[in-house]
Amino acid sequence: MESTKTIQLKIIDVDNDLVETMQKYSEGMNYVSEVVFQNGKVIPARKLQRIVYGYLREKLGLKSQVSCNIPRQVAGSYKTLSDQIKCKKSEWQKLVYTPSSMTLSYKRDYTITEDSVSITTFSSGRKTYKIQNYDYALQYFKEPWKFAASKVVKHYNGDYYFHLTVSQEIEEPAIEKASTFMGVDVGINYLAVASTTDKKCKFFAGGEIKNKRNIYSKMRARLQSKGTLSAKRVLKRLAGKEQRFMKDVNHCISKAIVKFAVQEKVSVIGLEDLTDIRENTNGKLRKKQRYLHNSWAFRQLQSFVDYKAKQVGILVEYVNPEYTSQTCNRCNHISKNNRKGLRFHCETCGFELNADLNSARNIEHRTRDSRYILESQGCLSTIHTDT
Ligand SMILES: [Zn+2]
């Protein structure tokens, strides 16, 4: 499988050529977006390219490579949107692009050295810009890493960065050989709790971050009740601030989770599958799952754990999240009454544990089970060769 990594390098001598190039790029993106939007449903990338290529080349004067990149990217974004619509998280809408992000293919659109990046600009052909590099990033300029499609991004403070993506092929670990699993419960009391097959566990950040998020949510409620124009502006700024704060937190926690997994020689990390939460027989969603499902912060934490795990060759499995918090990890008895606030107390066998840790252990158990389910379905290659 492919391991990828993105590093952010500040572009020092940004000029009008670069700004104009991004401007033209976003014009192209918005034109293509309009075409898909008017169509009322997703258009596959190849078909979309046939429709818009002429306009992008002749009317907007974009280079051929860029005229291929743009429809591919727009098609990808609308595909994501339609996935969100399927699970009722969004509705059909026109996607709008600002001139703050531009994707470039390696060699065709950019080349890079340790201290400069060369980018094909709209008006002045290939131009070289200085980048601010740092010691830690230099390792990604060498084998086995290879440069991949990367981005120029204007950060919210107005600076331009080159988001360089590098990748390398790493050997896919075989799930049938896995012996140590880890379940990660994402939640509200602790942002995450991890537990391994050997019952090693770790709790990740709770209190302080919970407080800070509470402060944000109180501020939000106050501003929303005001409803004035200036309150709306403050709300928008606040949302951006909270997003950046949680993104930093999620980066730190996911990094710590994966580090813990490496240290404990874990081969597979199990996460709750929050994407497809069905209503249960009572027609009600479980409160925690509904909360997590709607929270971009928890979904982001999961996705960070997912890609950071893959970078170091750890597999990620998504398991059924039903009743993970109500199931006794010792006797498998399921009951709402097993929860006593932050404690788990089994009404049948008397087993007691921190409630989030009990959930993490159940997720670990289900992750371990997923291996046997695969085996019984004959999905593992070893089974094929044996029979
Ligand atoms: Zn029990």
Side-chain angles (χ1 to χ4, degrees):
M1 66 187 183
E2 194 157 78
S3 164
T4 66
K5 176 98 193 155
T6 299
I7 48 177
Q8 302 185 4
L9 306 161
K10 190 175 175 182
I11 304 175
I12 297 162
D13 48 355
V14 175
D15 63 1
N16 282 335
D17 280 331
L18 187 61
V19 175
E20 183 202 32
T21 305
M22 291 180 76
Q23 184 68 44
K24 283 282 173 191
Y25 185 85
S26 75
E27 269 176 47
M29 295 287 280
N30 284 319
Y31 167 75
V32 178
S33 177
E34 179 73 40
V35 170
V36 181
F37 175 68
Q38 292 298 340
N39 185 57
K41 61 178 203 282
V42 172
I43 304 175
R46 283 189 166 204
K47 188 177 170 197
L48 185 59
Q49 188 182 319
R50 280 199 300 275
I51 299 170
V52 299
Y53 186 81
Y55 184 92
L56 295 177
R57 289 282 282 149
E58 284 144 37
K59 289 275 196 273
L60 292 182
L62 294 168
K63 301 269 183 317
S64 72
Q65 182 62 25
V66 178
S67 304
C68 295
N69 283 348
I70 288 175
R72 198 166 54 229
Q73 268 184 65
V74 174
S77 305
Y78 274 95
K79 173 76 176 51
T80 307
L81 176 68
S82 94
D83 290 344
Q84 285 170 347
I85 293 169
K86 270 180 212 151
C87 44
K88 300 195 171 60
K89 270 181 298 169
S90 192
E91 48 197 34
W92 187 252
Q93 57 186 285
K94 184 158 82 182
L95 301 176
V96 178
Y97 297 90
T98 59
S100 60
S101 173
M102 172 170 72
T103 303
L104 304 168
S105 314
Y106 178 55
K107 283 190 180 154
R108 299 233 191 172
D109 306 320
Y110 85 91
T111 54
I112 192 162
T113 66
E114 286 174 10
D115 50 22
S116 69
V117 60
S118 154
I119 295 167
T120 307
T121 62
F122 182 75
S123 302
S124 309
R126 204 74 152 194
K127 277 193 97 167
T128 301
Y129 297 93
K130 285 201 193 77
I131 49 174
Q132 196 177 326
N133 213 326
Y134 44 102
D135 288 347
Y136 160 80
L138 293 178
Q139 58 181 304
Y140 300 111
F141 285 75
K142 297 182 195 121
E143 288 284 333
W145 294 102
K146 291 187 171 59
F147 301 128
S150 299
K151 285 178 180 175
V152 179
V153 179
K154 185 183 177 187
H155 283 198
Y156 65 95
N157 63 6
D159 289 337
Y160 286 75
Y161 280 79
F162 195 73
H163 289 200
L164 174 67
T165 299
V166 291
S167 70
Q168 66 164 302
E169 240 350 277
I170 55 171
E171 206 179 316
E172 174 122 20
I175 194 166
E176 65 269 30
K177 285 186 192 136
S179 59
T180 306
F181 299 76
M182 186 169 103
V184 178
D185 178 65
V186 293
I188 301 148
N189 305 314
Y190 291 95
L191 283 185
V193 177
S195 176
T196 70
T197 309
D198 309 325
K199 296 213 164 38
K200 300 266 178 56
C201 71
K202 206 161 184 161
F203 292 77
F204 299 91
E208 259 175 68
I209 284 146
K210 198 176 157 190
N211 289 342
K212 189 146 182 184
R213 291 205 85 190
N214 279 340
I215 294 169
Y216 277 125
S217 91
K218 280 195 190 118
M219 281 161 85
R220 219 172 18 237
R222 211 175 52 226
L223 288 163
Q224 269 159 353
S225 69
K226 270 191 179 172
T228 62
L229 205 65
S230 80
K232 274 180 192 155
R233 269 199 299 273
V234 179
L235 260 174
K236 205 173 166 191
R237 206 160 54 222
L238 194 70
K241 221 170 147 186
E242 187 181 7
Q243 268 175 33
R244 287 190 293 276
F245 168 71
M246 279 315 293
K247 193 176 176 187
D248 284 347
V249 168
N250 283 341
H251 265 304
C252 290
I253 293 181
S254 55
K255 200 169 156 188
I257 290 172
V258 172
K259 193 176 162 198
F260 178 62
V262 169
Q263 187 191 312
E264 295 302 326
K265 301 195 166 47
V266 166
S267 333
V268 187
I269 292 179
L271 298 169
E272 285 179 293
D273 185 357
L274 301 171
T275 55
D276 181 32
I277 295 173
R278 285 170 308 242
E279 297 196 346
N280 69 17
T281 43
N282 302 324
K284 280 186 196 158
L285 288 168
R286 264 183 47 206
K287 201 171 135 204
K288 178 195 155 189
Q289 283 167 7
R290 190 174 49 213
Y291 178 71
L292 295 180
H293 184 61
N294 292 328
S295 163
W296 60 266
F298 289 110
R299 299 165 63 83
Q300 185 180 57
L301 177 59
Q302 279 198 336
S303 78
F304 285 179
V305 170
D306 188 315
Y307 88 80
K308 286 189 170 124
K310 283 174 183 156
Q311 278 174 0
V312 293
I314 294 177
L315 290 171
V316 175
E317 280 283 314
Y318 288 87
V319 301
N320 180 358
E322 277 170 53
Y323 308 114
T324 47
S325 66
Q326 295 176 16
T327 306
C328 173
N329 184 248
R330 187 160 75 187
C331 74
N332 285 327
H333 173 69
I334 300 173
S335 167
K336 270 209 295 262
N337 304 328
N338 285 348
R339 282 296 290 260
K340 297 273 182 291
L342 302 182
R343 292 298 289 174
F344 181 90
H345 183 104
C346 177
E347 60 180 1
T348 304
C349 77
F351 178 71
E352 261 198 81
L353 200 67
N354 170 286
D356 291 341
L357 179 56
N358 180 70
S359 301
R361 283 195 187 174
N362 286 330
I363 295 166
E364 184 277 327
H365 201 142
R366 287 182 193 189
T367 312
R368 208 178 337 139
D369 281 351
S370 67
R371 167 189 165 179
Y372 301 112
I373 293 165
L374 281 175
E375 274 180 3
S376 68
Q377 289 167 342
C379 294
L380 293 180
S381 54
T382 49
I383 302 296
H384 289 300
T385 49
D386 287 349
T387 49

